[in-house]
Amino acid sequence: MGAGQPQSLLYRRALGEAVATALAVRDGAPSTGPAPAYAQVQALVDGPDVTCR
């Protein structure tokens, strides 16, 4: 995966947000930005095209 590929950007953004959230929790500060509810994440996992379980 090259640095110019969209997947790389998504990974780096997710990693950056995870680190920022961990630092906020460590410092007792509120995290910023939206976070999907568990049910929203599960709906993505259980999407209509999921065939393996």
Side-chain angles (χ1 to χ4, degrees):
M1 188 179 324
Q5 293 181 339
Q7 298 91 338
S8 176
L9 174 61
L10 293 175
Y11 175 77
R12 290 182 288 122
R13 290 286 298 150
L15 181 59
E17 289 299 319
V19 169
T21 299
L23 293 174
V25 169
R26 180 198 68 187
D27 296 339
S31 62
T32 60
Y38 179 80
Q40 292 172 305
V41 174
Q42 193 63 47
L44 293 171
V45 172
D46 292 338
D49 297 328
V50 174
T51 58
C52 60
R53 292 237 177 237

